[in-house]
Amino acid sequence: MKTDVQAAAVKPNIKTGRRVYGLGKALIYLVLSILFVTQVYPLLWLFLYSLKTNEEILSGKFFALPAKFQWHNFHDAVQSGNYFEYLKNSIFVTLVTMICVLLLSSLAAFAISRFRWKYGQAVMVIFLVGMMIPMQATLLPLMIMFKHIHILNTHLSIILPYIAFQTPVSVFILSGFMKTIPHEIEESAVIDGAGIFRIFRSIILPVSIPPMMTVCILTFINIWNEYIMAATFISKEQLKTLPFGVYSFVSQYSVNYGAIGAFLVLGALPVIIIYFLLADKITKGMVAGAVKG
């Protein structure tokens, strides 16, 4: 009899727990669906925008489908917007920046996290302060400095600031991960006769691939669409990067809005592809640098 009473008392709790679990799961799906729509809809809207005529765009019907898909807007974007020339410049600037950021930040993070020296924490604080400096506050000093050393209107004038602004975040991510690597590995390597650079090259770098992939992807995304510094330090047409192509469709008396939309789609396409291909590596790198640390 007692057992039956206890069983009867347990059943409502199980049902209540299932209802709460089901409600919580439905709420999570609802929030994720809202986030998905808010993130994907702008991309879908931009794609539809690129397939419309100027009249359809200026009509104010933002949610309407185009009467006829204007695929020639993409042809205009490639031909009139100097897409491939700007794409080449963007790839060059981004790749050089990524390589330099990876090299400098990995060395700095290795020194901060693995060496026992007096000013290690002070150097880390300097990097953290660098993360707080707004890019706009450095435009005028950099303009004066670059003018005096004669590197304005060169790719170097934007690559150097890009490296400076991306390195602090990269050091923060990499140092957080490198602190979790057991010191016994290095001690064994030292016993076997390995030097500092051998330890860094053969032990630390292979283990740190996940956070380094995160650094690469974040640097790529931040540099690819950067406009303010590129517009400030570069005026030569042959050196401009991809964001400048939008102005190829703006004249004194008319604007080709459809071609602008097509150019924006083509400009965003490499970032979207790379992000979706390597999204899991971003997550793994961030978790490795944050949870383990």
Side-chain angles (χ1 to χ4, degrees), residues 165-263:
F165 279 98
Q166 293 300 315
T167 299
V169 180
S170 304
V171 171
F172 178 74
I173 295 173
L174 292 176
S175 62
F177 177 83
M178 290 182 183
K179 287 179 181 178
T180 66
I181 301 174
H183 287 276
E184 289 77 11
I185 300 177
E186 295 175 53
E187 293 172 357
S188 301
V190 171
I191 293 174
D192 292 336
I196 295 297
F197 288 103
R198 179 68 181 276
I199 293 173
F200 175 73
R201 185 181 69 252
S202 303
I203 297 176
I204 301 299
L205 285 185
V207 175
S208 304
I209 287 178
M212 290 181 73
M213 288 299 301
T214 301
V215 169
C216 285
I217 297 169
L218 294 179
T219 302
F220 176 84
I221 293 174
N222 290 333
I223 299 304
W224 188 260
N225 294 318
E226 200 284 324
Y227 177 78
I228 296 176
M229 283 197 167
T232 303
F233 301 139
I234 291 182
S235 59
K236 291 182 180 178
E237 189 69 25
Q238 63 270 24
L239 297 178
K240 292 181 178 180
T241 52
L242 210 54
F244 286 94
V246 174
Y247 292 98
S248 302
F249 309 102
V250 180
S251 63
Q252 184 176 358
Y253 301 105
S254 64
V255 179
N256 191 342
Y257 294 104
I260 290 176
F263 192 91

Side-chain angles (χ1 to χ4, degrees), residues 71-143:
W71 294 106
H72 65 85
N73 287 336
F74 286 89
H75 179 269
D76 295 340
V78 173
Q79 295 296 326
S80 303
N82 297 324
Y83 175 76
F84 289 112
E85 183 177 358
Y86 294 153
L87 179 66
K88 178 189 68 175
N89 293 332
S90 290
I91 291 174
F92 173 76
V93 170
T94 304
L95 284 180
V96 172
T97 302
M98 285 172 55
I99 293 171
C100 293
V101 168
L102 269 180
L103 179 62
L104 295 175
S105 60
S106 59
L107 288 171
F110 177 61
I112 292 172
S113 59
R114 310 305 293 178
F115 291 176
R116 297 176 182 175
W117 51 304
K118 183 177 180 181
Y119 301 105
Q121 292 301 318
V123 173
M124 188 63 194
V125 170
I126 293 175
F127 280 109
L128 294 177
V129 171
M131 296 170 59
M132 306 175 190
I133 300 175
M135 183 182 294
Q136 294 81 358
T138 65
L139 293 178
L140 182 58
L142 288 176
M143 171 70 78

Side-chain angles (χ1 to χ4, degrees), residues 263-285:
F263 192 91
L264 292 175
V265 170
L266 293 174
L269 197 59
V271 180
I272 296 172
I273 293 174
I274 289 177
Y275 182 82
F276 277 106
L277 289 177
L278 304 176
D280 58 329
K281 290 182 172 55
I282 295 179
T283 305
K284 289 179 182 178

